Amino acid sequence: MTEPLWWQKGAIYQIYPRSFQDSNGGGIGTLRGIENRLDALVDLGVDAVWISPIYPSPLADFGYDVADYCGIDPSFGTLEDFDSLLDATHARGLKLLLDFVPNHSSSEHPWFKESRSSRENPKRDWYIWRDPAPDGGPPNNWISDFGGSAWEWDEASGQYYYHAFLKEQPDLNWRNPEVRQAMMDVLRFWFDRGVDGFRIDVLWHMIKHAEFPDNPPNPAYTPAMGAMHQVLQLHSTDQPEVHGIAADMRRVADAYPGRVLVGEIYLPVERLMHYYGRGEPEVHLPFNFQLIEAPWEARTLAGLIADYEAALPAGGWPNWVLGNHDRPRAATRFGPRQARIAAMLLLTLRGTPTIYYGDELGLEDVPIPPDQVQDPRELREPGLGLGRDPVRTPMAWDTSANAGFTGGAPWLPLHPDWQVRNVAAEREDPRSMWRLYHDLLELRHAHPALSIGDWLPVECSDALLAYERRCGAERMLVVLNLSDRPQSFAIPEWAEGLSVLLAAQGGRDPAILGPDEGLILG
């Protein structure tokens, strides 16, 4: 077996920078704030940090509307602050990943301002412009992911431009070779600076059907889904030509040894696999979001794990995600006790896990009063539960004012129990969620079977999920009770001599698992 790469052995920790740590009293997180908390991440046991967008931005979508791909927004700091953070990260043996947002820029980006200035401008074709339909309306029926038409009328030039998200986020035209070259140069800029990789935002969106036909209606649509689901995104996403772009990005990354590309792709598994590359390599890790979306049932999870493992192409490395900045938190979806089982599942499956900041505290979604809502997703379609503010609230560090996050007024409210649910308190509690994450990460580092070993199913019932992790002569058993009732378990003969190394709730008997119990034997 070849020596595994750092991103195969390690765990990635996602930071939403506005909410991690303030350093100047402004009420939002900063790069210096992140640097000041790096030792806490080392103590937790993660291996890499991924930071959501920190580029200059008007903040129409809180950084996902980029006005300069090679700078730092002043609210977060300066390029010098970033270099200091990068050096401090590497000095601690950690890796640093940035968010790359290539599908669209801000409407305030100089490129778009030029493109919008006239039909004759050399950058006109850097974005997607189309004439009106015969009736004078939008060119087709495509719907923005934030609701409403995905086309915005530009009175001055007499055409519509396309935006998959907000109108302040015009989509770049990736069929234009000059756009491709400019964005590859952005990757090189940050790789040259020393970053260890990128998470690529909405990778599957980046090419649209060349003829822009209408998308078909969604027969399963209900208003509760949100307006974007009125149609199926057949022609506006996941086009064949996107794989050439991903391969170009991979060629850039491969020129910098040890770098990694992670692709955000919400697609069924069989289509997700194509982003590993067919014929030539694409992204190293197409994000696998199944644990976010699947029913929390043992048989369902056992099936999707086995199917995902079987679908991986030769050399394809798996990955798992339990939460992120767009979806409800694990402790909200599963409840506090089952969130511990979810953590055990995330950190004992084969492949690279990604931990969303705050999940190690067991944070739940925080209710946001209507007058404090910040997220344009919620503001555009209120009351559907699509808002993302509840999962982006400030990190709680200790019992000082504002949980040690800021000396000012936090940009979003803290969770109500921050005085007891914070890093300092949970570090001292051997039964806390923080301690469980710490101990799971420690086990992963100590046992190759848990980080890089094979995954083999052992047993599945309505409530019980068990599997083996094996690396060479090392064999480990993971048994998870996904119910609030005791469950009996027939220990495999090969595992009868194994000891309990870690328990979610403190149990010691693998033959009878208590409610919401999970055990790791080795």
Side-chain angles (χ1 to χ4, degrees):
M1 179 178 180
T2 58
E3 177 65 22
L5 300 167
W6 68 263
W7 49 267
Q8 295 174 314
K9 295 184 294 183
I12 299 172
Y13 184 93
Q14 181 190 356
I15 289 175
Y16 193 71
R18 292 181 65 85
S19 295
F20 198 64
Q21 178 64 62
D22 183 13
S23 63
N24 58 23
I28 69 168
T30 62
L31 296 180
R32 289 203 175 276
I34 295 173
E35 183 175 342
N36 293 340
R37 294 296 187 182
L38 287 176
D39 287 339
L41 298 183
V42 173
D43 291 345
L44 180 63
V46 299
D47 303 274
V49 174
W50 151 35
I51 304 177
S52 294
I54 52 176
Y55 311 107
S57 168
L59 303 179
D61 190 21
F62 292 102
Y64 286 93
D65 48 322
V66 178
D68 176 3
Y69 286 99
C70 296
I72 300 295
D73 193 89
S75 63
F76 295 126
T78 65
L79 267 174
E80 290 71 27
D81 292 333
F82 174 79
D83 291 339
S84 176
L85 170 60
L86 183 62
D87 290 343
T89 303
H90 287 164
R92 289 162 174 78
L94 300 173
K95 305 293 185 180
L96 182 62
L97 280 65
L98 290 183
D99 224 306
F100 184 43
V101 189
N103 176 71
H104 48 266
S105 76
S106 166
S107 56
E108 294 300 309
H109 196 293
W111 296 345
F112 186 71
K113 289 183 176 181
E114 284 193 53
S115 181
R116 196 175 199 172
S117 65
S118 78
R119 293 197 186 195
E120 290 71 40
N121 189 278
K123 285 192 168 57
R124 183 67 170 185
D125 192 47
W126 281 43
Y127 293 83
I128 299 171
W129 294 92
R130 286 293 178 274
D131 290 330
D135 64 1
N140 62 26
N141 71 344
W142 294 2
I143 297 175
S144 159
D145 279 19
F146 287 175
S149 173
W151 297 96
E152 181 70 11
W153 175 247
D154 182 62
E155 186 70 37
S157 62
Q159 283 188 313
Y160 285 88
Y161 68 84
Y162 179 72
H163 56 93
F165 297 91
L166 296 174
K167 63 182 176 64
E168 294 87 357
Q169 296 169 288
D171 280 39
L172 285 154
N173 177 18
W174 275 84
R175 294 183 183 275
N176 184 324
E178 292 180 345
V179 170
R180 293 173 77 140
Q181 181 60 49
M183 295 302 273
M184 298 304 158
D185 287 344
V186 170
L187 293 177
R188 294 186 183 97
F189 173 86
W190 293 106
F191 280 140
D192 287 341
R193 219 166 187 93
V195 303
D196 300 289
F198 289 92
R199 174 265 193 187
I200 304 168
D201 186 59
V202 297
L203 175 59
W204 84 111
H205 268 268
M206 288 175 54
I207 286 281
K208 290 75 180 171
H209 193 293
E211 301 302 321
F212 294 89
D214 279 355
N215 277 327
N218 179 2
Y221 170 72
T222 64
M225 296 178 176
M228 65 173 284
H229 293 290
Q230 292 178 48
V231 298
L232 302 174
Q233 294 183 335
L234 180 65
H235 304 301
S236 50
T237 65
D238 196 30
Q239 299 302 294
E241 298 93 332
V242 75
H243 297 287
I245 294 172
D248 284 350
M249 292 179 178
R250 177 62 176 269
R251 279 188 285 272
V252 171
D254 284 349
Y256 298 83
R259 305 313 206 267
V260 66
L261 297 179
V262 184
E264 183 195 24
I265 305 154
Y266 281 94
L267 289 175
V269 167
E270 63 274 10
R271 289 158 65 191
L272 181 70
M273 294 298 129
H274 298 167
Y275 288 81
Y276 282 103
R278 293 182 294 180
E280 54 184 337
E282 298 180 26
V283 295
H284 302 85
L285 299 174
F287 256 149
N288 171 21
F289 295 118
Q290 292 183 91
L291 295 183
I292 292 179
E293 300 180 327
W296 195 245
E297 301 165 354
R299 293 188 191 278
T300 300
L301 293 174
L304 73 82
I305 295 166
D307 290 347
Y308 177 73
E309 284 276 351
L312 288 164
W317 188 252
N319 70 93
W320 297 93
V321 182
L322 196 59
N324 63 27
H325 59 291
D326 289 331
R327 300 300 180 96
R329 285 193 179 270
T332 295
R333 302 199 311 271
F334 309 132
R337 290 178 64 84
Q338 275 296 308
R340 298 175 68 86
I341 304 304
M344 294 190 79
L345 180 66
L346 174 70
L347 294 175
T348 60
L349 287 172
R350 188 175 82 98
T352 305
T354 297
I355 300 166
Y356 185 50
Y357 89 99
D359 279 358
E360 76 272 26
L361 300 180
L363 291 192
E364 300 178 47
D365 293 5
V366 178
I368 308 297
D371 62 347
Q372 295 185 49
V373 169
Q374 306 280 339
D375 181 21
R377 189 76 180 87
E378 175 68 19
L379 292 171
R380 287 170 66 93
E381 294 187 275
L384 298 181
L386 302 175
R388 301 164 297 178
D389 289 339
V391 305
R392 298 177 174 185
T393 55
M395 186 70 167
W397 295 100
D398 52 41
T399 58
S400 63
N402 297 317
F405 165 68
T406 180
W411 78 288
L412 283 174
L414 286 150
H415 51 285
D417 63 345
W418 62 266
Q419 290 187 317
V420 294
R421 191 181 300 279
N422 60 67
V423 174
E426 292 202 18
R427 284 188 59 166
E428 301 304 316
D429 180 358
R431 301 295 305 277
S432 71
M433 182 70 97
W434 188 95
R435 183 58 59 180
L436 177 64
Y437 268 87
H438 170 275
D439 292 350
L440 284 165
L441 289 164
E442 190 173 61
L443 271 183
R444 281 180 61 88
H445 287 133
H447 296 277
L450 281 182
S451 58
I452 61 171
D454 294 332
W455 176 92
L456 299 95
V458 171
E459 178 177 322
C460 174
S461 66
D462 290 337
L464 208 61
L465 177 63
Y467 46 90
E468 177 187 354
R469 299 299 312 280
R470 182 191 301 174
C471 184
E474 184 179 45
R475 304 179 74 177
M476 303 182 74
L477 178 66
V478 180
V479 190
L480 306 175
N481 181 358
L482 275 64
S483 78
D484 59 0
R485 302 178 306 280
Q487 300 289 329
S488 60
F489 175 63
I491 303 171
E493 187 174 331
W494 64 265
E496 287 180 353
L498 299 183
S499 302
V500 174
L501 302 179
L502 185 61
Q505 310 292 353
R508 308 303 298 177
D509 183 2
I512 301 290
L513 270 75
D516 309 296
E517 185 61 275
L519 301 177
I520 301 175
L521 288 77

